[in-house]
Amino acid sequence: MREKIERIRQEIDAFANDTREAVERFRLTFLARSGSIPALFEEFKAVSADEKKVLGKVLNELKNLAETRLREATARLETSATGAQSALDLTLPVIPNEVGNLHPLNQTRYRIIEIFERLGFNVSDGPEVEDDWHNFSALNFPPNHPAREMQDTFFVERNPDMLLRTHTSNVQIRLLEKQKPPVRSIMPGRVYRNEAISARAHCFFHQVEGLYVDRNVGFADLKQTLYHFAKEMFGADTKIRLRPSFFPFTEPSAEIDISCLICKGKGCNVCKYSGWVEIAGSGMVHPNVLRNVGVDPEEFTGFAFGMGIERITMLRYGINDLRLFSENDIRFLRQFQTVI
Ligand code: DAH
């Protein structure tokens, strides 16, 4: 019996089990009910008790060896087959093709651009790291304006003349420095303020600036343009209201409110029961600003406005927390599948 065991061990070692058929043959030859190893176990029953002690161990080793070889060969076949098979198997379920979507802030930005482009506005941009002149001085900010304080604005430590722009109004100056009127442009971009982060404020957010400078541009143009914008953006029955306000770079200045989309002007917690929500600041470009860029305010006039993209997006979709926009939570972002 010893020789038999040894012979079968050699057969196992020599067996080329590299195809599916060969592996099956291997199983039938050695391990199946009619195979040589179960036959040995049958023979084993008849040997003497003394011999059993020695042979039992050897026989079990032989069986283990065959089983291990079978397992290894099957595993090898599986791995080489999966690739080949899935390429061919047309009955397998389709791997879904995941479609992404624009960030809601970008959807709003593109919509705003689209509306103003139809009115003849082009799109400009400018730097986010800006100098004092373009962010403040040229825009007629007095030297002691609170926005110039460290606690409101991020200044660059190495060069106190440089800062992270607090609004997109810097692009008005950059544009008028290199282009003589007529200028009709909108300027979307990111701005920075030293604010504690909450549901309503963040240390960075996005604005769209608008500027129209030409001969005979008047306040009626400002009003009509923003009224048109409000109707396009929020629906044809939207109303606007202009509230007197103050900005150093416009005179006169006005805050633009729209009738509350949620309660249609009746009063709710979104509009704090006033029926109106603020969407933009605006005004006629201050003569000092025009002078600062070498434009004669006797010849040219203009209007400007600035609106927050977050604010408009929150109104559009009923979002109540500003932080959601920058947390990269895919469960939030996936809800904005509609591409405008
Ligand atoms: N720059 C202002 C801000 O950050 C917004 C603004 C108001 C822009 C009036 C304008 C404007 O162009 O005319 O809050």
Side-chain angles (χ1 to χ4, degrees), residues 1 4-5 8 28-46 59 62:
M1 194 168 172
K4 258 195 209 163
I5 292 175
I8 293 175
L28 290 171
T29 313
F30 299 111
L31 291 162
R33 202 181 290 255
S34 58
S36 49
I37 294 174
L40 281 176
F41 274 94
E42 227 17 73
E43 245 179 81
F44 178 75
K45 288 181 187 160
L59 197 49
L62 182 73

Side-chain angles (χ1 to χ4, degrees), residues 39-298:
L40 281 176
F41 274 94
E42 227 17 73
E43 245 179 81
F44 178 75
K45 288 181 187 160
V47 302
S48 73
D50 277 355
E51 267 190 304
K52 266 196 177 136
K53 282 196 189 131
V54 193
L55 280 178
K57 187 165 174 282
V58 189
L59 197 49
N60 272 321
E61 280 169 6
L62 182 73
K63 186 174 172 229
N64 286 341
L65 174 71
E67 284 174 347
T68 310
R69 289 287 157 80
L70 179 65
R71 230 182 298 119
E72 287 168 355
T74 314
R76 262 198 309 278
L77 279 180
E78 289 297 324
T79 39
S80 64
T82 21
Q85 230 181 21
S86 60
L88 290 174
D89 189 349
L90 301 178
T91 66
L92 284 175
V94 174
I95 299 165
N97 205 349
E98 300 239 348
V99 179
N101 60 278
L102 287 173
H103 191 283
L105 293 179
N106 282 333
Q107 295 193 27
T108 302
R109 177 162 62 94
Y110 288 138
R111 179 76 187 120
I112 296 172
I113 291 173
E114 190 177 63
I115 295 169
F116 283 104
E117 271 182 343
R118 292 210 195 119
L119 297 177
F121 285 73
N122 64 9
V123 179
S124 311
D125 64 6
E128 292 178 16
V129 183
E130 189 53 286
D131 54 30
D132 176 279
W133 173 254
H134 293 91
N135 196 81
F136 293 131
S137 296
L139 287 160
N140 203 34
F141 277 73
N144 57 348
H145 192 282
R148 291 174 181 257
E149 296 287 328
M150 297 275 277
Q151 59 269 27
D152 290 318
T153 297
F154 293 112
F155 286 91
V156 176
E157 241 170 45
R158 287 189 183 190
N159 181 352
D161 189 49
M162 302 296 288
L163 48 93
L164 299 187
R165 67 173 176 191
T166 58
H167 51 185
T168 43
S169 306
N170 67 324
V171 192
Q172 291 191 31
I173 303 301
R174 297 238 162 232
L175 196 58
L176 288 170
E177 277 174 348
K178 58 172 199 246
Q179 189 189 326
K180 293 291 149 217
V183 166
R184 197 170 358 172
S185 195
I186 54 167
M187 307 148 232
R190 181 173 280 192
V191 304
Y192 302 83
R193 287 184 200 176
N194 193 359
E195 303 249 14
I197 297 170
S198 72
R200 305 177 139 264
H202 212 299
C203 58
F204 63 83
F205 54 99
H206 300 80
Q207 293 186 329
V208 177
E209 193 82 8
L211 178 70
Y212 180 18
V213 180
D214 201 349
R215 294 187 176 82
N216 299 319
V217 177
F219 201 84
D221 299 307
L222 162 64
K223 191 174 164 186
Q224 196 56 38
T225 303
L226 288 167
Y227 183 37
H228 173 79
F229 168 76
K231 286 190 292 185
E232 286 289 308
M233 189 77 202
F234 300 108
D237 53 355
T238 310
K239 297 185 180 59
I240 65 164
R241 175 174 84 166
L242 277 71
R243 247 177 323 115
S245 184
F246 175 80
F247 300 101
F249 39 92
T250 45
E251 182 60 36
S253 307
E255 221 72 68
I256 313 286
D257 296 343
I258 58 164
S259 49
C260 181
L261 304 168
I262 312 292
C263 64
K264 303 276 172 229
K266 286 193 201 72
C268 66
N269 58 356
V270 171
C271 60
K272 302 200 199 85
Y273 300 94
S274 71
W276 298 94
V277 280
E278 184 191 316
I279 59 152
S282 68
M284 300 305 294
V285 180
H286 197 290
N288 286 350
V289 174
L290 294 175
R291 274 187 215 107
N292 285 337
V293 290
V295 174
D296 179 3
E298 297 300 326

